[in-house]
C-alpha cells in the first residue's frame, strides 16, 4: 500500500510528495471569509474541502495547527485598491457599526460551519486585531526597499520585486509585463509608480470609518497584508500548507507571496492548495443572474432551482463526491443522487455493525478483495485527498456487506481480523475523515414524532379507562407545558402545537 501523501502544489503545478518542515507537525493556513454578508454555498464548498484535508492530516497522525482568518477590514469592493471597504459599505446600508456587521456575519458563518459539521480551526485571527503586526510588516518591506510611500499610502514595488525574485507570477501564471499594460482606470493609480504595484497601507479618506494611526498616515492595511502578517505570527515565516479557493490565486495569494518575500526574503508556504469553484446548472453561481441558492434555501426547499429540501449531510456528501480541485456543479438531480448515496452509506455502516462474526473465519478470495478495497481507499486519500475515489471503494465494500447480510457470502469466508478492519474502516472514513453525521431527515423526524404522539394518546386513553388519574393528569400537564394540545373527536384524538 502506498503510504506516502502526495498533494497537488499550485506553486509547481505538480503533484508532490508531502514533507512537513517539522516531522509530525503541520502548519496550515486557509483564507477565511470576508464577513460582510451571509456565507454562500461556494464558500462552504471551500471550507468543507479544507475541513476534510485537515481531518485527514489529523487521521494520519500529524499534529496540525490550523489557522483560518476572518477578514474584517481592508477588503475593498472591487477586490483591488479602490472602492469602499466591503464591511463599511454594508454597515452604511444596514445602518450599523462596522463591527456590528462583523459580529453578525461571523456568528452566521460559525453557525453554518457547525451545521456542515466542520472542525473549528485552532486559531481564527481577525485582521482588525492584528494592525500592529501589519504595520510592522509594511515597515519591514519598506526597510528592504521593496515598497515606497506616496501621500500617506504605501505601495509594494512589484516591478522591482519581479526583477529581483522570479517568484512573482509563479502561482497564478500571470506575467508582470501583462500586468503593466492592464490600463485599469483606478482612482489612486496615479500614485503608483507602476500599474502592477499594489497598496499595503492606504491613507483613509475623511469619510472612511475603519482607520488606525501608522507612521505614514491614519489609514488601514491592504487586503492581502493580513494573511501575510497573521500566518507569519502563528505559523512562522515559512510553514507547510496555504489554502484557499482558486479565485484567490490572483491577486490575493500572488501578492501574499510577494509581501512575505518582501518582509523576510523567504517563501511563506511550501505547498499551496486551491479548491475549485461551485457552479449551479453548469454556470457560475451568481446572484445577479438569478443563478444562486443559499444554504438556507437548500435546507428548506424554498427555491425554484430544487424540487425538495436537502439536509446538511446530504449536501456535505454531495461536496465530497467530487475532487476538491474540480469544479462542482450543483443540480437538483445531482443532489437527489447524493442524498441516496449518503443514505446508502449510512445504512451500509449500520448493516455492518449489525453483522456478527463467529471468530473462526478463513481467508478466502473475498477476504483478499476486501483488504484490497480498504488499502485502495487509503491510497486514494493519500493521492491528493481523492474523496470521490475513496467513496467508490467504500460503496464496493457495501455491496460485500449486503451480500453477507443476504447470505450470498458467508461471514466466515473472511477472518475476524478482516471483519474488524472493515468496521474500523467505515468508522474512520465516514465519521472521522469525511466528517459525516448520522442524521434523520425532516420526514423521518416527523414520522417519529407522530408515532410518539400516538403512543402518548393511547397511554392517556388506557389510563383514563383504568381510572389511573395520576398518569392521565401527568400526561395532560406535561403536554400543556410543551404547548401541545389534544382534541378529542368522533374519529379519535388529534394533536397540535399551539
Ligand atoms: P471570500 O469571503 O469571498 O473572501 O471567500 C472565502 C473563501 O471562499 C475563499 O477561499 C474563496 O476562494 C472561496 N470561494 C468564493 N466563492 C467560491 C465558489 N463559488 N466556490 C468555491 N469557493 C469559493
Ligand atoms: Zn488570505
Amino acid at each position: 500500500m502506498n503510504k506516502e501523501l502526495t498533494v497537488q502544489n499550485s506553486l509547481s503545478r505538480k503533484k508532490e510528495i508531502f514533507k512537513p518542515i517539522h516531522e509530525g507537525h503541520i502548519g496550515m493556513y486557509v483564507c477565511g471569509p470576508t464577513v460582510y454578508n451571509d456565507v454562500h454555498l461556494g464558500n462552504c464548498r471551500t471550507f468543507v474541502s479544507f475541513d476534510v484535508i485537515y481531518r485527514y492530516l489529523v487521521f494520519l497522525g500529524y499534529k496540525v495547527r490550523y489557522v483560518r482568518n476572518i477578514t474584517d477590514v481592508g477588503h475593498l469592493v472591487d477586490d483591488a485598491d479602490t472602492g469602499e471597504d466591503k464591511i463599511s459599505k454594508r454597515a452604511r446600508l444596514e445602518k450599523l457599526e462596522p463591527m456590528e456587521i462583523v459580529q453578525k456575519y461571523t456568528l452566521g458563518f460559525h453557525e453554518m460551519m457547525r451545521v456542515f459539521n466542520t472542525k473549528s480551526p485552532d486559531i481564527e485571527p481577525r485582521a482588525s486585531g492584528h494592525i500592529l503586526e501589519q504595520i510592522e510588516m509594511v515597515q519591514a518591506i519598506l526597510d528592504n526597499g521593496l515598497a515606497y510611500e506616496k501621500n500617506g499610502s504605501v505601495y509594494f514595488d512589484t516591478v522591482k520585486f519581479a526583477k529581483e525574485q522570479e517568484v512573482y507570477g509563479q502561482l497564478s501564471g500571470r506575467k508582470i509585463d501583462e500586468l503593466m499594460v492592464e490600463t485599469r482606470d483606478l482612482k489612486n493609480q496615479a500614485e503608483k509608480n507602476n500599474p502592477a504595484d499594489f497598496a499595503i497601507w492606504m491613507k483613509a479618506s475623511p469619510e472612511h470609518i475603519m482607520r488606525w494611526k501608522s507612521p505614514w498616515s491614519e489609514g488601514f492595511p491592504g487586503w492581502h497584508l493580513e494573511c501575510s502578517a497573521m500566518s507569519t505570527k502563528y505559523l512562522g515565516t515559512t510553514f507547510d500548507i496555504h489554502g484557499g479557493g482558486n479565485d484567490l490565486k490572483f491577486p490575493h495569494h500572488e501578492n501574499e507571496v510577494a509581501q512575505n518575500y518582501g518582509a523576510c526574503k523567504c517563501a511563506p508556504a511550501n505547498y499551496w492548495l486551491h479548491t475549485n469553484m461551485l457552479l449551479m446548472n453548469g454556470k457560475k453561481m451568481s446572484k445577479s443572474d438569478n443563478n444562486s441558492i443559499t444554504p438556507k434555501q437548500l435546507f428548506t426547499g424554498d427555491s425554484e432551482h430544487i424540487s425538495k429540501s436537502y439536509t446538511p449531510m446530504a449536501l456535505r456528501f454531495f461536496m465530497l463526491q467530487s475532487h476538491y480541485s474540480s469544479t462542482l456543479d450543483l443540480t437538483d438531480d445531482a443532489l437527489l443522487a447524493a442524498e441516496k448515496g449518503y443514505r446508502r452509506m449510512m445504512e451500509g455502516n449500520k448493516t455492518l455493525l449489525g453483522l456478527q462474526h463467529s471468530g473462526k473465519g478463513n481467508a478466502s478470495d473475498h477476504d483478499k478483495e476486501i483488504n484490497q478495497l480498504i488499502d485502495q481507499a487509503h491510497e486514494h486519500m493519500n493521492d491528493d485527498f481523492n474523496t470521490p475515489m475513496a467513496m467508490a471503494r467504500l460503496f464496493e465494500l457495501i455491496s460485500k456487506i449486503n451480500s453477507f447480510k443476504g447470505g450470498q457470502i458467508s461471514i466466515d469466508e473472511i477472518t475476524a481480523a478482516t471483519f474488524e478492519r472493515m468496521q474500523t474502516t467505515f468508522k474512520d472514513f465516514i465519521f472521522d475523515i469525511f466528517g459525516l453525521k448520522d442524521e434523520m431527515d425532516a420526514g423521518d423526524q416527523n414520522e417519529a414524532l407522530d408515532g410518539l404522539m400516538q403512543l402518548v394518546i393511547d397511554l392517556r386513553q388506557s389510563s383514563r379507562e383504568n381510572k389511573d388519574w395520576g398518569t392521565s393528569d401527568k400526561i395532560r400537564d406535561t403536554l400543556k407545558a410543551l404547548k401541545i394540545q389534544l382534541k378529542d373527536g368522533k374519529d379519535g384524538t388529534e394533536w397540535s402545537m399551539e
Side-chain angles (χ1 to χ4, degrees), residues 30-36 40-47 50 71 75 86 223 243-248 275-279 284-285:
V30 173
C31 290
T34 306
V35 282
Y36 70 105
H40 67 73
L41 266 182
N43 303 140
C44 295
R45 196 245 168 147
T46 286
F47 298 129
F50 282 106
T71 296
H75 195 167
K86 289 189 182 194
W223 170 35
N246 67 8
D247 59 330
L248 295 187
T275 56
N276 214 323
M277 295 291 104
L278 179 71
L279 312 175
K284 185 173 184 261
M285 222 188 236

Side-chain angles (χ1 to χ4, degrees), residues 311-329:
T311 63
M313 287 304 108
L315 225 60
R316 187 170 168 116
F317 186 92
F318 165 70
M319 291 176 183
L320 302 185
Q321 274 182 314
S322 69
H323 190 255
Y324 75 85
S325 66
S326 311
T327 51
L328 174 61
D329 191 13

Side-chain angles (χ1 to χ4, degrees), residues 109-216:
F109 168 64
H110 285 160
E111 173 59 13
M112 203 46 76
M113 291 297 97
R114 190 191 63 74
V115 163
F116 278 113
N117 202 31
T118 63
K119 298 251 185 214
S120 297
D122 299 294
I123 305 176
E124 194 172 48
R126 290 183 178 200
S128 67
H130 296 75
I131 300 294
L132 275 181
E133 288 82 351
Q134 296 183 73
I135 290 175
E136 277 172 17
M137 192 165 246
V138 172
Q139 191 59 58
I141 300 171
L142 278 166
D143 292 347
N144 284 332
L146 283 167
Y148 54 90
E149 192 228 318
K150 282 266 177 81
N151 305 325
S153 291
V154 182
Y155 295 97
F156 190 88
D157 193 337
T158 312
V159 176
K160 186 169 178 206
F161 175 69
K163 264 189 215 144
E164 283 180 17
Q165 297 275 348
E166 284 183 357
V167 295
Y168 200 78
Q170 207 178 354
L171 264 182
S172 61
R174 301 264 184 140
K175 300 232 162 22
I176 188 84
D177 303 341
E178 290 163 17
L179 295 172
M180 295 293 284
V181 294
E182 267 186 21
T183 52
R184 294 165 73 198
D185 184 21
L186 300 179
K187 198 178 77 199
N188 56 352
Q189 202 67 323
E191 280 181 358
K192 297 181 183 178
N193 287 350
N194 291 294
D197 297 348
F198 59 93
I200 49 180
W201 185 264
M202 297 183 85
K203 181 179 173 174
S205 53
E207 68 278 9
H208 198 99
I209 313 171
M210 286 190 282
R211 53 206 296 148
W212 290 266
K213 286 198 173 73
S214 80
W216 316 287

Side-chain angles (χ1 to χ4, degrees), residues 212-258:
W212 290 266
K213 286 198 173 73
S214 80
W216 316 287
S217 64
E218 210 172 272
F220 57 96
W223 170 35
H224 321 300
L225 195 63
E226 55 167 299
C227 292
S228 288
M230 297 190 297
S231 62
T232 302
K233 173 158 178 152
Y234 296 111
L235 298 172
T237 47
T238 302
F239 52 96
D240 298 295
I241 298 175
H242 194 310
N246 67 8
D247 59 330
L248 295 187
K249 271 188 191 166
F250 189 85
H252 187 56
H253 289 163
E254 200 71 78
N255 291 351
E256 249 189 87
V257 174

